Amino acid sequence: MTEKKPTGLFSTKLVAIAAVAGIVAGAAAVYVRETMSGNAVETADAAQCAGTVEKAEALKPYFSGDVAAMVPVSEPRLVEGLTFQDQSGAPMTMANFTNKTVLLNLWATWCVPCREEMPALNNLQKAVGNERFQVLAINIDTGDVEKPQTFLAETGVDALGLYRDASMGVFNTLKRQGLAFGLPVTLLVDGKGCLLGNMNGPAAWDGADAKALIAAADGA
């Protein structure tokens, strides 16, 4: 029987990393070289995302503490062109999460900061996940599914499911859009699929600062 590791072990280290990330945004991220695969980059629909910049501006006071590295969007941007698979292998896009505030996170088992923040993301989903909010963690390990499945089982990450893109296309798309340069990368997306903010590097997502940000974004 696989032994589950306690999820609280990472908290102190993540709080320290998040504090540093607030000073040097993204400094803790693991640099990733872009592969040749990728999804088509879509042009942001300014009409659909009208008011998003103002919404992000209102959230600025919540981009602090553990989540100080979150950068608010400066122009309307629709998060499109991302294709991945759900736990059953069925194809998905961000359109599947319409009407939900989404914390979109890209991770890989070979990314040490990712491994350390996954339990915190799991705790966040357990604490505040509902029909209006979801943590969407997408694994970008290449190869078969065994490695990420084993990691989730060993660390007791049981609330996120295993969403995957083994082609790394989601990362490549976000990199070309200037939203990602390494892992982990996290996007805060509203219910219309519009970007509110993005962060490169890990954070203590189960802390009070992150929960306050999600509550504010969900109600914005």
Side-chain angles (χ1 to χ4, degrees):
M1 182 174 182
T2 302
E3 181 181 356
K4 292 184 178 180
K5 300 177 182 178
T7 58
L9 292 176
F10 303 113
S11 300
T12 303
K13 183 180 290 186
L14 276 176
V15 169
I17 292 174
V20 173
I23 301 171
V24 185
V30 175
Y31 178 77
V32 180
R33 177 178 294 179
E34 182 177 353
T35 67
M36 294 305 293
S37 63
N39 297 295
V41 176
E42 301 290 341
T43 302
D45 187 333
Q48 182 168 336
C49 295
T52 305
V53 174
E54 292 76 12
K55 191 185 298 185
E57 186 70 24
L59 291 176
K60 272 187 177 181
Y62 299 95
F63 294 167
S64 62
D66 294 340
V67 292
M70 183 70 74
V71 179
V73 69
S74 59
E75 60 183 17
R77 299 188 69 165
L78 191 62
V79 180
E80 284 191 311
L82 307 182
T83 58
F84 49 97
Q85 296 79 44
D86 68 7
Q87 299 94 316
S88 68
M92 302 197 81
T93 69
M94 292 302 294
N96 293 99
F97 300 89
T98 300
N99 298 323
K100 277 190 175 185
T101 300
V102 172
L103 192 71
L104 170 63
N105 177 274
L106 304 189
W107 68 282
T109 59
W110 41 261
C111 164
V112 174
C114 302
R115 294 173 68 93
E116 292 175 347
E117 97 171 336
M118 285 298 289
L121 288 165
N122 191 63
N123 291 339
L124 178 64
Q125 176 64 25
K126 285 184 173 181
V128 301
N130 54 41
E131 68 278 1
R132 300 185 313 276
F133 170 74
Q134 180 173 340
V135 176
L136 173 59
I138 302 176
N139 173 263
I140 63 168
D141 277 64
T142 56
D144 62 37
V145 73
E146 183 178 355
K147 187 177 291 186
Q149 276 184 338
T150 299
F151 168 76
L152 296 181
E154 288 179 346
T155 52
V157 174
D158 55 3
L160 300 181
L162 180 53
Y163 296 88
R164 293 195 75 212
D165 173 30
S167 75
M168 290 183 62
V170 289
F171 176 83
N172 292 340
T173 296
L174 294 180
K175 184 174 182 179
R176 286 195 295 271
Q177 293 176 354
L179 297 174
F181 67 80
L183 291 180
V185 58
T186 306
L187 275 60
L188 183 60
V189 183
D190 73 6
K192 296 186 295 184
C194 300
L195 182 67
L196 293 172
N198 69 288
M199 175 192 297
N200 281 269
W205 289 110
D206 52 357
D209 295 323
K211 290 175 183 176
L213 170 59
I214 297 306
D218 192 28

PDB file of all heavy atoms in Angstrom, residues 56-65 213:
ATOM      1  N   ALA A  56      -9.190  43.591 -12.375  1.00  0.00           N
ATOM      2  CA  ALA A  56      -7.847  43.272 -11.893  1.00  0.00           C
ATOM      3  C   ALA A  56      -7.300  44.391 -11.019  1.00  0.00           C
ATOM      4  O   ALA A  56      -6.620  44.142 -10.015  1.00  0.00           O
ATOM      5  CB  ALA A  56      -6.913  43.010 -13.076  1.00  0.00           C
ATOM      6  N   GLU A  57      -7.597  45.629 -11.381  1.00  0.00           N
ATOM      7  CA  GLU A  57      -7.154  46.772 -10.587  1.00  0.00           C
ATOM      8  C   GLU A  57      -7.760  46.726  -9.187  1.00  0.00           C
ATOM      9  O   GLU A  57      -7.085  47.008  -8.193  1.00  0.00           O
ATOM     10  CB  GLU A  57      -7.561  48.076 -11.293  1.00  0.00           C
ATOM     11  CG  GLU A  57      -7.040  49.340 -10.649  1.00  0.00           C
ATOM     12  CD  GLU A  57      -5.543  49.522 -10.797  1.00  0.00           C
ATOM     13  OE1 GLU A  57      -4.953  48.952 -11.738  1.00  0.00           O
ATOM     14  OE2 GLU A  57      -4.956  50.247  -9.957  1.00  0.00           O
ATOM     15  N   ALA A  58      -9.023  46.325  -9.121  1.00  0.00           N
ATOM     16  CA  ALA A  58      -9.694  46.223  -7.821  1.00  0.00           C
ATOM     17  C   ALA A  58      -9.111  45.110  -6.964  1.00  0.00           C
ATOM     18  O   ALA A  58      -9.202  45.146  -5.728  1.00  0.00           O
ATOM     19  CB  ALA A  58     -11.189  45.992  -8.031  1.00  0.00           C
ATOM     20  N   LEU A  59      -8.487  44.120  -7.613  1.00  0.00           N
ATOM     21  CA  LEU A  59      -7.892  42.996  -6.887  1.00  0.00           C
ATOM     22  C   LEU A  59      -6.471  43.281  -6.408  1.00  0.00           C
ATOM     23  O   LEU A  59      -5.919  42.498  -5.625  1.00  0.00           O
ATOM     24  CB  LEU A  59      -7.879  41.749  -7.777  1.00  0.00           C
ATOM     25  CG  LEU A  59      -9.219  41.096  -8.103  1.00  0.00           C
ATOM     26  CD1 LEU A  59      -9.010  39.945  -9.079  1.00  0.00           C
ATOM     27  CD2 LEU A  59      -9.908  40.603  -6.838  1.00  0.00           C
ATOM     28  N   LYS A  60      -5.877  44.378  -6.853  1.00  0.00           N
ATOM     29  CA  LYS A  60      -4.478  44.668  -6.521  1.00  0.00           C
ATOM     30  C   LYS A  60      -4.170  44.596  -5.025  1.00  0.00           C
ATOM     31  O   LYS A  60      -3.113  44.084  -4.635  1.00  0.00           O
ATOM     32  CB  LYS A  60      -4.071  46.028  -7.074  1.00  0.00           C
ATOM     33  CG  LYS A  60      -3.547  45.986  -8.498  1.00  0.00           C
ATOM     34  CD  LYS A  60      -2.999  47.345  -8.902  1.00  0.00           C
ATOM     35  CE  LYS A  60      -2.393  47.319 -10.295  1.00  0.00           C
ATOM     36  NZ  LYS A  60      -1.848  48.634 -10.680  1.00  0.00           N
ATOM     37  N   PRO A  61      -5.052  45.096  -4.153  1.00  0.00           N
ATOM     38  CA  PRO A  61      -4.739  44.999  -2.720  1.00  0.00           C
ATOM     39  C   PRO A  61      -4.588  43.554  -2.232  1.00  0.00           C
ATOM     40  O   PRO A  61      -3.952  43.321  -1.197  1.00  0.00           O
ATOM     41  CB  PRO A  61      -5.943  45.683  -2.052  1.00  0.00           C
ATOM     42  CG  PRO A  61      -6.485  46.608  -3.093  1.00  0.00           C
ATOM     43  CD  PRO A  61      -6.269  45.882  -4.391  1.00  0.00           C
ATOM     44  N   TYR A  62      -5.163  42.611  -2.979  1.00  0.00           N
ATOM     45  CA  TYR A  62      -5.083  41.199  -2.595  1.00  0.00           C
ATOM     46  C   TYR A  62      -3.864  40.499  -3.201  1.00  0.00           C
ATOM     47  O   TYR A  62      -3.574  39.362  -2.842  1.00  0.00           O
ATOM     48  CB  TYR A  62      -6.362  40.470  -3.018  1.00  0.00           C
ATOM     49  CG  TYR A  62      -7.603  41.031  -2.360  1.00  0.00           C
ATOM     50  CD1 TYR A  62      -8.370  41.993  -3.004  1.00  0.00           C
ATOM     51  CD2 TYR A  62      -7.982  40.609  -1.094  1.00  0.00           C
ATOM     52  CE1 TYR A  62      -9.500  42.527  -2.405  1.00  0.00           C
ATOM     53  CE2 TYR A  62      -9.112  41.133  -0.479  1.00  0.00           C
ATOM     54  CZ  TYR A  62      -9.868  42.092  -1.141  1.00  0.00           C
ATOM     55  OH  TYR A  62     -10.985  42.620  -0.533  1.00  0.00           O
ATOM     56  N   PHE A  63      -3.168  41.163  -4.121  1.00  0.00           N
ATOM     57  CA  PHE A  63      -1.919  40.625  -4.664  1.00  0.00           C
ATOM     58  C   PHE A  63      -0.795  40.997  -3.698  1.00  0.00           C
ATOM     59  O   PHE A  63       0.047  41.853  -3.978  1.00  0.00           O
ATOM     60  CB  PHE A  63      -1.634  41.195  -6.054  1.00  0.00           C
ATOM     61  CG  PHE A  63      -2.625  40.786  -7.118  1.00  0.00           C
ATOM     62  CD1 PHE A  63      -2.641  41.434  -8.340  1.00  0.00           C
ATOM     63  CD2 PHE A  63      -3.532  39.763  -6.908  1.00  0.00           C
ATOM     64  CE1 PHE A  63      -3.540  41.066  -9.337  1.00  0.00           C
ATOM     65  CE2 PHE A  63      -4.435  39.392  -7.888  1.00  0.00           C
ATOM     66  CZ  PHE A  63      -4.441  40.042  -9.105  1.00  0.00           C
ATOM     67  N   SER A  64      -0.799  40.362  -2.552  1.00  0.00           N
ATOM     68  CA  SER A  64       0.134  40.733  -1.491  1.00  0.00           C
ATOM     69  C   SER A  64       0.476  39.513  -0.649  1.00  0.00           C
ATOM     70  O   SER A  64      -0.140  38.453  -0.795  1.00  0.00           O
ATOM     71  CB  SER A  64      -0.480  41.824  -0.599  1.00  0.00           C
ATOM     72  OG  SER A  64      -1.663  41.345   0.025  1.00  0.00           O
ATOM     73  N   GLY A  65       1.470  39.663   0.217  1.00  0.00           N
ATOM     74  CA  GLY A  65       1.846  38.559   1.086  1.00  0.00           C
ATOM     75  C   GLY A  65       2.306  37.348   0.291  1.00  0.00           C
ATOM     76  O   GLY A  65       3.174  37.448  -0.576  1.00  0.00           O
ATOM     77  N   LEU A 213      -7.571  36.350  -1.766  1.00  0.00           N
ATOM     78  CA  LEU A 213      -7.551  36.694  -3.187  1.00  0.00           C
ATOM     79  C   LEU A 213      -8.644  35.953  -3.943  1.00  0.00           C
ATOM     80  O   LEU A 213      -9.373  36.545  -4.742  1.00  0.00           O
ATOM     81  CB  LEU A 213      -6.181  36.371  -3.789  1.00  0.00           C
ATOM     82  CG  LEU A 213      -6.067  36.462  -5.314  1.00  0.00           C
ATOM     83  CD1 LEU A 213      -6.401  37.858  -5.806  1.00  0.00           C
ATOM     84  CD2 LEU A 213      -4.680  36.040  -5.778  1.00  0.00           C
TER      85      LEU A 213
END
